[in-house]
Short mmCIF file of all heavy atoms in Angstrom, two decimals:
data_model
loop_
_atom_site.label_atom_id
_atom_site.label_comp_id
_atom_site.label_asym_id
_atom_site.label_seq_id
_atom_site.Cartn_x
_atom_site.Cartn_y
_atom_site.Cartn_z
N GLY A 162 6.76 12.28 10.49
CA GLY A 162 8.09 12.84 10.31
C GLY A 162 8.03 14.23 10.77
O GLY A 162 8.92 14.70 11.61
N LYS A 163 7.05 14.91 10.39
CA LYS A 163 6.95 16.34 10.82
C LYS A 163 6.84 16.47 12.33
O LYS A 163 7.41 17.33 13.00
CB LYS A 163 5.86 17.07 10.01
CG LYS A 163 5.65 18.63 10.51
CD LYS A 163 4.61 19.22 9.77
CE LYS A 163 4.45 20.69 10.20
NZ LYS A 163 3.22 21.38 9.58
N GLN A 164 5.91 15.69 12.90
CA GLN A 164 5.73 15.63 14.26
C GLN A 164 7.03 15.35 15.12
O GLN A 164 7.24 15.97 16.16
CB GLN A 164 4.66 14.63 14.64
CG GLN A 164 3.19 14.94 14.31
CD GLN A 164 2.24 13.83 14.34
OE1 GLN A 164 2.66 12.74 14.19
NE2 GLN A 164 1.00 14.15 14.67
N ALA A 165 7.71 14.44 14.54
CA ALA A 165 9.00 14.10 15.16
C ALA A 165 10.10 15.23 15.16
O ALA A 165 10.62 15.66 16.12
CB ALA A 165 9.66 12.82 14.58
N PHE A 166 10.17 15.82 13.95
CA PHE A 166 11.09 17.02 13.86
C PHE A 166 10.71 18.18 14.64
O PHE A 166 11.57 18.79 15.22
CB PHE A 166 11.16 17.36 12.28
CG PHE A 166 12.03 16.44 11.43
CD1 PHE A 166 11.42 15.96 10.31
CD2 PHE A 166 13.23 16.14 11.65
CE1 PHE A 166 12.23 15.18 9.43
CE2 PHE A 166 14.02 15.26 10.90
CZ PHE A 166 13.47 14.85 9.76
N GLU A 167 9.37 18.34 14.75
CA GLU A 167 9.01 19.48 15.60
C GLU A 167 9.29 19.18 17.08
O GLU A 167 9.67 20.12 17.77
CB GLU A 167 7.43 19.66 15.36
CG GLU A 167 7.07 20.27 14.11
CD GLU A 167 5.66 20.50 13.91
OE1 GLU A 167 4.78 19.63 14.47
OE2 GLU A 167 5.27 21.39 13.25
N LYS A 168 9.07 17.93 17.47
CA LYS A 168 9.24 17.75 18.86
C LYS A 168 10.78 17.75 19.19
O LYS A 168 11.08 18.19 20.32
CB LYS A 168 8.73 16.31 19.19
CG LYS A 168 8.83 15.95 20.75
CD LYS A 168 8.02 14.72 21.13
CE LYS A 168 8.18 14.59 22.54
NZ LYS A 168 7.35 13.39 23.12
N LEU A 169 11.47 17.45 18.30
CA LEU A 169 13.16 17.49 18.40
C LEU A 169 13.69 18.91 18.32
O LEU A 169 14.79 19.12 18.41
CB LEU A 169 13.70 16.53 17.55
CG LEU A 169 13.44 15.11 17.77
CD1 LEU A 169 13.98 14.13 16.68
CD2 LEU A 169 13.85 14.63 19.20
N GLY A 170 12.83 19.95 17.81
CA GLY A 170 13.25 21.22 17.52
C GLY A 170 13.89 21.39 16.28
O GLY A 170 14.80 22.34 16.14
N LEU A 171 13.73 20.46 15.26
CA LEU A 171 14.46 20.50 14.04
C LEU A 171 13.68 21.01 12.92
O LEU A 171 14.29 21.35 11.86
CB LEU A 171 15.02 19.11 13.69
CG LEU A 171 15.82 18.46 14.76
CD1 LEU A 171 16.13 16.97 14.33
CD2 LEU A 171 17.06 19.16 15.11
N TRP A 172 12.35 21.14 13.06
CA TRP A 172 11.57 21.43 11.81
C TRP A 172 11.79 22.84 11.26
O TRP A 172 11.90 22.99 10.05
CB TRP A 172 10.02 21.34 12.11
CG TRP A 172 9.14 21.60 11.04
CD1 TRP A 172 8.29 22.56 10.86
CD2 TRP A 172 8.93 20.71 9.87
NE1 TRP A 172 7.53 22.48 9.77
CE2 TRP A 172 8.06 21.31 9.13
CE3 TRP A 172 9.44 19.51 9.46
CZ2 TRP A 172 7.48 20.78 7.86
CZ3 TRP A 172 9.13 18.96 8.31
CH2 TRP A 172 8.14 19.59 7.46
N ALA A 173 12.04 23.79 12.15
CA ALA A 173 12.16 25.24 11.60
C ALA A 173 13.30 25.35 10.66
O ALA A 173 13.29 26.13 9.77
CB ALA A 173 12.24 26.19 12.85
N ALA A 174 14.37 24.63 10.99
CA ALA A 174 15.57 24.71 10.06
C ALA A 174 15.44 24.02 8.67
O ALA A 174 16.29 24.41 7.78
CB ALA A 174 16.83 24.17 10.84
N ILE A 175 14.55 23.11 8.57
CA ILE A 175 14.41 22.30 7.35
C ILE A 175 13.07 22.43 6.57
O ILE A 175 12.90 22.01 5.57
CB ILE A 175 14.70 20.84 7.62
CG1 ILE A 175 13.56 20.30 8.56
CG2 ILE A 175 16.04 20.74 8.12
CD1 ILE A 175 13.62 18.75 8.63
N GLN A 176 12.09 23.26 7.14
CA GLN A 176 10.77 23.29 6.57
C GLN A 176 10.70 23.81 5.13
O GLN A 176 9.73 23.47 4.41
CB GLN A 176 9.74 24.01 7.56
CG GLN A 176 10.22 25.49 7.76
CD GLN A 176 9.25 26.27 8.64
OE1 GLN A 176 8.09 25.75 8.84
NE2 GLN A 176 9.73 27.21 9.35
N ASP A 177 11.70 24.64 4.85
CA ASP A 177 11.85 25.18 3.47
C ASP A 177 12.69 24.22 2.53
O ASP A 177 12.95 24.62 1.52
CB ASP A 177 12.24 26.53 3.42
CG ASP A 177 11.33 27.51 4.14
OD1 ASP A 177 10.15 27.33 4.10
OD2 ASP A 177 11.83 28.51 4.83
N ARG A 178 13.16 23.17 3.10
CA ARG A 178 14.09 22.24 2.27
C ARG A 178 13.42 20.77 2.21
O ARG A 178 14.13 19.85 2.37
CB ARG A 178 15.47 22.19 2.95
CG ARG A 178 16.11 23.44 3.28
CD ARG A 178 16.32 24.31 2.03
NE ARG A 178 17.15 23.68 1.09
CZ ARG A 178 17.44 24.16 -0.18
NH1 ARG A 178 16.92 25.37 -0.53
NH2 ARG A 178 18.17 23.49 -0.93
N ILE A 179 12.10 20.81 1.99
CA ILE A 179 11.32 19.57 1.99
C ILE A 179 10.94 19.29 0.55
O ILE A 179 10.30 20.09 -0.11
CB ILE A 179 10.14 19.54 2.92
CG1 ILE A 179 10.56 19.87 4.37
CG2 ILE A 179 9.40 18.25 2.84
CD1 ILE A 179 11.43 18.83 4.97
N ALA A 180 11.29 18.12 0.12
CA ALA A 180 10.80 17.55 -1.21
C ALA A 180 9.54 16.75 -0.86
O ALA A 180 9.53 15.78 -0.29
CB ALA A 180 11.77 16.71 -1.95
N ARG A 181 8.39 17.40 -1.10
CA ARG A 181 7.07 16.77 -0.73
C ARG A 181 6.65 15.75 -1.65
O ARG A 181 6.09 16.12 -2.80
CB ARG A 181 6.08 17.85 -0.45
CG ARG A 181 6.38 18.90 0.64
CD ARG A 181 5.48 20.08 0.63
NE ARG A 181 5.67 21.01 1.71
CZ ARG A 181 4.89 20.93 2.85
NH1 ARG A 181 3.77 20.37 2.90
NH2 ARG A 181 5.24 21.83 3.92
N ALA A 182 6.63 14.53 -1.40
CA ALA A 182 6.40 13.39 -2.30
C ALA A 182 4.86 13.07 -2.07
O ALA A 182 4.28 13.23 -1.08
CB ALA A 182 7.21 12.16 -1.90
N LYS A 183 4.22 12.46 -3.16
CA LYS A 183 2.83 12.14 -3.11
C LYS A 183 2.58 10.96 -2.08
O LYS A 183 1.37 10.90 -1.59
CB LYS A 183 2.45 11.79 -4.47
CG LYS A 183 2.96 10.47 -5.12
CD LYS A 183 2.41 10.16 -6.39
CE LYS A 183 3.04 8.82 -6.97
NZ LYS A 183 2.43 8.44 -8.21
N ASP A 184 3.49 10.20 -1.88
CA ASP A 184 3.47 9.03 -0.83
C ASP A 184 4.84 8.65 -0.43
O ASP A 184 5.78 9.06 -0.95
CB ASP A 184 2.52 7.80 -1.34
CG ASP A 184 3.09 7.29 -2.58
OD1 ASP A 184 4.43 7.06 -2.69
OD2 ASP A 184 2.35 6.97 -3.53
N VAL A 185 4.82 7.77 0.47
CA VAL A 185 6.19 7.32 1.09
C VAL A 185 7.08 6.62 0.09
O VAL A 185 8.31 6.82 0.14
CB VAL A 185 5.95 6.57 2.36
CG1 VAL A 185 5.42 5.10 2.08
CG2 VAL A 185 7.34 6.37 3.23
N ARG A 186 6.37 6.01 -0.87
CA ARG A 186 7.26 5.23 -1.93
C ARG A 186 7.93 6.29 -2.85
O ARG A 186 9.00 6.05 -3.43
CB ARG A 186 6.36 4.10 -2.56
CG ARG A 186 6.08 2.93 -1.76
CD ARG A 186 7.43 2.23 -1.37
NE ARG A 186 7.05 1.11 -0.31
CZ ARG A 186 6.82 -0.16 -0.69
NH1 ARG A 186 6.75 -0.34 -1.98
NH2 ARG A 186 6.69 -0.97 0.25
N ALA A 187 7.24 7.24 -3.09
CA ALA A 187 7.78 8.31 -4.01
C ALA A 187 8.99 8.91 -3.31
O ALA A 187 9.94 9.37 -3.95
CB ALA A 187 6.72 9.36 -4.33
#
Side-chain angles (χ1 to χ4, degrees):
K163 180 181 178 181
Q164 289 168 328
F166 284 125
E167 286 180 332
K168 185 165 185 179
L169 295 171
L171 305 175
W172 183 250
I175 63 169
Q176 60 183 336
D177 295 327
R178 308 301 301 177
I179 302 298
R181 295 170 176 253
K183 66 177 182 178
D184 57 43
V185 69
R186 289 299 174 89

